Amino acid sequence: MKGVIRVAKSVVRDHDQKLNVREIIQEKKRTKSITNTTEKLIPKILFGIAAISVFTTIGIVLTLLTETIAFFRDVPFLDFFTGTKLKPLGENAVFGVLPLLTGTIISTIIAMLVAIPVGLMTAIFLSEYASEKTRRLLKPILEILAGIPTIVYGFFAFTFVTPLLRSFIPGLEPTNILSPGIVMGIMIIPMVASLSEDAMSSVPNSMREGALALGATKLEVTWKVVIPAAISGIIASFVLGISRAIGETMIVAIASGSSKNFTFDVTQSMQTMTAYIVEVTGGEAAAGTTLYYSLYAVAMTLFVFTLIMNLVAQYISRKFREEY
Amino acid sequence: MKYVDSTQVQKKMGSRLLANSLAKGLFLLATLFGLVVLIVLIYRVLKDGLPWINVDFLMNRLSTDPERAGIWGAITGTLWLMVVVAPVTMILGIGTAIYLEEYATKGRISSFIKTNISNLAGVPSVVFGILGLTVFARTLDLGSVVLAGGLTMALLVLPVVVVASQEAIRAVPQFLREASYGMGATKWQTIKNVVLPAALPGILTGVILALSRAIGETAPLVVIGIPALLIPIPDGIFDKFTILPVQIYYWTIDSALVAEYANLAAATIVILLFVLFVMNSIAILIRNKFQKRY
């Protein structure tokens, strides 16, 4: 509209003022060249902006890598990955990552023991059993659960779930790995449920109807038709859940304590990789010390773990996606 | 010849139907589990926190005395953080989305950027904290100030804005673009005057969700090094600061020493959840109100 008015105005002006034709051509050329430069410039600027996300990844990898290399100059590679003792402070500091690895793995296992069955059953209910009305009611609730900040879950684990568990598990320490593990599982339920539900909902109805027509019950349809057909999406949701549990920080930083125990006893306090990072940075490690570098070595391990998990999940859902 | 033995079917029918209804009950229970946890969580937080919320709690500075401690510093810190996060994440996120959807040819580079963004979304937030600590706080020597925290947080929530904006831009029908080209508009004029206005509700929803994620994140800022000590109220983006979730963190771990700190943490959680609830409601409102179907 604006353009039309401008053209009209210039025509009017031509008649009124008897402008030089050459001047008009000059003016047109000028605006044209401005438009042309913007047209050429904008994609370049936007490409630069889009590249920033790539630079972020490169930045993460580079910072982690350089400082991790510095760390392995102080601590032998094998000692780090096979050491069962972690005592980063004081004289004779020992850096073995196994206590952190077991802490991370155990809390992840506990979380997934909660999140996988409950999440999958929720997905089955929402996708196969629930009426449209119930689904519309229940899905937002899951979204609320997914939107609660992890710090709130940490508070919940520390002030409610741990005391509750202690009332029937007498040996449970005030900080332990069991309670944050369970709460982490609760946090991950919505993620597993909604991703699995997406996978199951995309199974075409004709397959369900075929099985139902053969006389199968709804449970049999779900178990023998829908789940096998949606299995890649379901497994991808589990893998993403695991990745999320490995990287989760605040719940374990609050509720699992800071004892660097190398143990498999879930009633005890254990530290995860993420909680170690929070503890060490909170203690203001001086730059250049082995303690400071250990931060990056642990972060690197964490980064590699979660990256592998995410790539695996992407690979599974892309490679094994069934096309109907 | 009979393919189906009806007596066999009859005999098994009862147990199969029973299994089906039992399973249905079990699946329902699992679904309600989340609901129950949500109710318990909110009940606990309200019960512990609500009595502590009053004007003094909102307006007071931090204090070691639970009776006098307030969250004014954390509230202003959160607002200052948004001053940095909102523009940075909008420019980066929307720019990336426009590039990917409108300019990038479907090739190696664009699919590389896309994979990169989805991987970035899966990087633990604590690792972003390490990046912020190393690059912004130490290498650029900003220290643990609002600007460093905000830039870190902006990178963390970037994938949320990119993905939401991409979807919004993709949903703008092709005929609108063609009409614009038909009128003689150039590509950028079309994007600026036709595509972006049409995609705006979706983009805004994404931005609000990203900001609410930034408000709730704790780990990166703890890693960047927000002091647990009493600090002055921040006055700009180069000041040290604290935010609501970090406040909750320190009060929760200190509640083992002073029991009332747990109440302070709960009260702060009530405020935080309220803020998030309002923001998410706005996002949903925008989505429902302005979502056009073509």
Side-chain angles (χ1 to χ4, degrees), chain B residues 22-85:
Chain B
L22 282 180
K24 184 180 177 181
L26 189 66
F27 298 151
L28 177 64
L29 277 183
T31 313
L32 292 180
F33 178 69
L35 181 66
V36 171
V37 171
L38 190 66
I39 290 171
V40 172
L41 193 156
I42 288 175
Y43 170 75
R44 287 289 305 189
V45 169
L46 285 180
K47 186 173 147 269
D48 288 356
L50 217 47
W52 287 73
I53 297 178
N54 51 41
V55 179
D56 284 347
F57 175 71
L58 292 176
M59 300 302 289
N60 275 4
R61 287 149 180 268
L62 272 179
S63 166
T64 42
D65 175 12
E67 293 293 337
R68 285 174 39 207
I71 54 170
W72 185 242
I75 291 175
T76 44
T78 305
L79 290 176
W80 276 116
L81 190 74
M82 289 303 111
V83 168
V84 177
V85 176

Side-chain angles (χ1 to χ4, degrees), chain A:
Chain A
M1 199 58 199
K2 270 183 196 159
V4 176
I5 292 171
R6 203 181 302 138
V7 171
K9 267 185 186 162
S10 71
V11 171
V12 171
R13 200 169 51 193
D14 288 355
H15 280 282
D16 286 358
Q17 303 179 352
K18 298 271 182 260
L19 257 182
N20 199 331
V21 175
R22 187 170 294 157
E23 274 177 37
I24 296 174
I25 294 176
Q26 283 300 328
E27 198 188 315
K28 283 267 181 315
K29 267 189 181 163
R30 214 177 43 242
T31 49
K32 187 83 186 161
S33 83
I34 292 172
T35 329
N36 275 346
T37 3
T38 10
E39 285 302 318
K40 279 193 196 118
L41 216 59
I42 293 282
K44 296 204 172 82
I45 296 173
L46 289 177
F47 176 73
I49 291 175
I52 287 180
S53 72
V54 180
F55 287 135
T56 309
T57 314
I58 296 174
I60 291 175
V61 173
L62 270 187
T63 44
L64 292 182
L65 211 57
T66 46
E67 313 284 16
T68 306
I69 291 169
F71 173 76
F72 284 122
R73 236 174 266 142
D74 293 350
V75 179
F77 197 74
L78 259 169
D79 287 8
F80 180 66
F81 281 106
T82 59
T84 57
K85 264 215 166 84
L86 179 63
K87 194 172 133 323
L89 289 169
E91 310 236 328
N92 304 326
V94 197
F95 293 94
V97 82
L98 280 185
L100 299 182
L101 273 184
T102 48
T104 305
I105 291 168
I106 288 172
S107 63
T108 302
I109 290 174
I110 298 170
M112 295 324 282
L113 285 178
V114 176
I116 287 182
V118 180
L120 185 59
M121 286 197 281
T122 305
I124 293 173
F125 184 78
L126 289 179
S127 150
E128 305 300 317
Y129 285 90
S131 65
E132 189 53 37
K133 212 173 157 191
T134 348
R135 186 177 11 204
R136 264 208 302 254
L137 195 75
L138 288 173
K139 267 203 124 173
I141 294 173
L142 281 179
E143 281 168 18
I144 295 176
L145 262 186
I148 290 178
T150 56
I151 185 79
V152 178
Y153 281 113
F155 176 84
F156 186 62
F158 190 63
T159 62
F160 178 69
V161 178
T162 302
L164 184 75
L165 290 175
R166 267 160 74 96
S167 65
F168 52 89
I169 307 174
L172 202 66
E173 292 182 24
T175 53
N176 58 77
I177 204 79
L178 183 62
S179 147
I182 293 173
V183 174
M184 220 149 76
I186 293 171
M187 181 196 80
I188 296 170
I189 288 172
M191 184 183 175
V192 172
S194 84
L195 289 177
S196 302
E197 204 231 318
D198 285 347
M200 288 160 68
S201 301
S202 66
V203 174
N205 257 339
S206 56
M207 288 172 70
R208 289 189 188 85
E209 282 152 7
L212 285 170
L214 287 172
T217 64
K218 228 170 192 178
L219 179 66
E220 288 159 349
V221 172
T222 307
W223 199 245
K224 291 175 181 161
V225 177
V226 178
I227 289 184
I231 194 74
S232 65
I234 293 173
I235 296 207
S237 84
F238 295 169
V239 178
L240 282 180
I242 293 172
S243 167
R244 185 83 185 275
I246 292 175
E248 170 43 43
T249 311
M250 293 327 288
I251 302 176
V252 281
I254 289 177
S256 70
S258 57
S259 321
K260 290 140 187 72
N261 285 330
F262 180 64
T263 172
F264 295 94
D265 181 359
V266 293
T267 62
Q268 289 200 13
S269 168
M270 276 183 234
Q271 197 167 40
T272 64
M273 293 190 278
T274 50
Y276 177 79
I277 294 172
V278 167
E279 191 204 351
V280 171
T281 47
E284 291 185 17
T289 57
T290 315
L291 173 66
Y292 173 76
Y293 289 133
S294 75
L295 192 69
Y296 291 87
V298 172
M300 186 78 189
T301 318
L302 176 70
F303 178 73
V304 170
F305 262 67
T306 49
L307 185 70
I308 291 173
M309 286 293 168
N310 293 329
L311 290 177
V312 166
Q314 278 174 31
Y315 178 78
I316 292 175
S317 58
R318 201 178 307 148
K319 193 86 183 168
F320 300 101
R321 184 181 300 150
E322 307 265 349
E323 302 279 353
Y324 301 104

Side-chain angles (χ1 to χ4, degrees), chain B residues 144-166:
Chain B
S144 41
V145 297
V146 175
L147 185 60
L151 291 176
T152 310
M153 219 51 126
L155 292 180
L156 172 69
V157 298
L158 183 62
V160 181
V161 182
V162 173
V163 172
S165 306
Q166 267 186 293

